[in-house]
Amino acid sequence: MDQSYKRLFENNRKWVQEKLREDKNYFNRLSKGQKPEFFLIGCSDSRVSPNIITGAGPGELFIHRNIANLAVHTDLNFLSALQYAVEVLKVQHIIVKGHYYCGGVRAAMTDDYYGLIDNWLMNIRDVMRLHEDELNSITDDEQRFRRLVELNVIEQVNNVKGTSVLQKAIRNGTAPQIHGWVYDLNEGLLKDLKIT
Ligand code: CO
């Protein structure tokens, strides 16, 4: 039986030793609580781990991940994380982080049958319909794919803003800033879509 997962435990032990060497109270301090500045909504893709690509350590990012970084109004999981981030943790920034080469976005652009996930991908097909004219005007397939990734981020930022959680915070003057970013995993760089 393949026991490749044991590598993860070994790495974990090494990491603990390293952290304790730097600061023997490291874990003790983390156990007291969290006060992250950022709530990040990202894709589940294994290549885009927010902590790794931003160098953020434990305690810095409150994260919600799903396929294609969607902020869906009927998703109780997302809404709960959002409410906790805004009302309890009082984060200063909410970031929707999409990424080029997103398999979820790519799948939404095809007519292929994937099963249950097709219902989830309907949210991206809604984005396509909203921006049909712009997308149809792009003749290059790769460019259209990249633009849809960006438009999806923009629409998810709008979705976050439209939630009851954000509307209440805006009314109270306590709303965090909402940002839309795209990660280019071909070069490793984050791009700010500047739609704050
Ligand atoms: Co993705």
Side-chain angles (χ1 to χ4, degrees):
M1 192 178 133
D2 181 17
Q3 304 215 313
S4 59
Y5 64 87
K6 283 191 170 166
R7 172 165 51 88
L8 302 179
F9 280 93
E10 272 159 38
N11 289 343
N12 171 248
R13 273 191 297 272
K14 275 185 216 151
W15 176 73
V16 169
Q17 284 166 4
E18 226 168 84
K19 284 292 171 194
L20 290 176
R21 210 167 24 241
E22 287 165 16
D23 174 2
K24 65 176 167 44
N25 292 317
Y26 184 77
F27 295 102
N28 193 21
R29 208 173 45 250
L30 278 179
S31 70
K32 303 270 190 273
Q34 60 169 336
K35 194 77 190 81
E37 259 180 79
F38 312 98
F39 175 46
L40 189 144
I41 299 150
C43 183
S44 299
D45 192 304
S46 63
R47 302 164 294 178
V48 300
S49 301
N51 289 85
I52 293 177
I53 68 169
T54 62
E60 292 189 75
L61 303 176
F62 192 66
I63 298 175
H64 177 81
R65 291 175 79 174
N66 59 41
I67 291 173
N69 40 267
L70 299 179
V72 177
H73 291 137
T74 51
D75 178 357
L76 192 58
N77 184 357
F78 158 66
L79 291 172
S80 302
L82 178 70
Q83 183 182 12
Y84 191 75
V86 172
E87 295 182 5
V88 181
L89 297 174
K90 300 188 194 316
V91 296
Q92 289 148 44
H93 301 274
I94 298 174
I95 299 150
V96 176
K97 178 174 81 51
H99 69 103
Y100 297 126
Y101 310 95
C102 182
V105 172
R106 171 105 269 177
M109 293 175 82
T110 70
D111 292 328
D112 300 344
Y113 175 79
Y114 294 96
L116 180 67
I117 194 182
D118 287 320
N119 303 291
W120 185 250
L121 297 179
M122 279 302 292
N123 294 292
I124 304 173
R125 297 199 174 107
D126 288 343
V127 174
M128 290 171 71
R129 207 153 19 78
L130 266 174
H131 298 274
E132 210 172 8
D133 293 342
E134 182 185 347
L135 289 166
N136 285 343
S137 74
I138 306 172
T139 50
D140 184 74
D141 281 353
E142 215 49 41
Q143 286 308 317
R144 198 183 318 111
F145 181 20
R146 288 174 79 86
R147 186 55 185 154
L148 179 55
V149 164
E150 295 170 0
L151 291 170
N152 183 45
V153 167
I154 292 167
E155 289 307 325
Q156 302 320 312
V157 166
N158 287 333
N159 285 351
V160 171
K161 196 179 162 200
T163 59
S164 56
V165 176
L166 257 288
Q167 287 303 308
K168 182 181 162 199
I170 289 167
R171 236 168 258 140
N172 294 341
T174 58
Q177 273 191 352
I178 316 174
H179 311 265
W181 296 355
V182 174
Y183 175 64
D184 192 342
L185 53 82
N186 189 39
E187 55 181 20
L189 291 173
L190 273 175
K191 179 162 96 180
D192 188 347
L193 295 178
K194 300 204 163 46
I195 46 167
T196 308

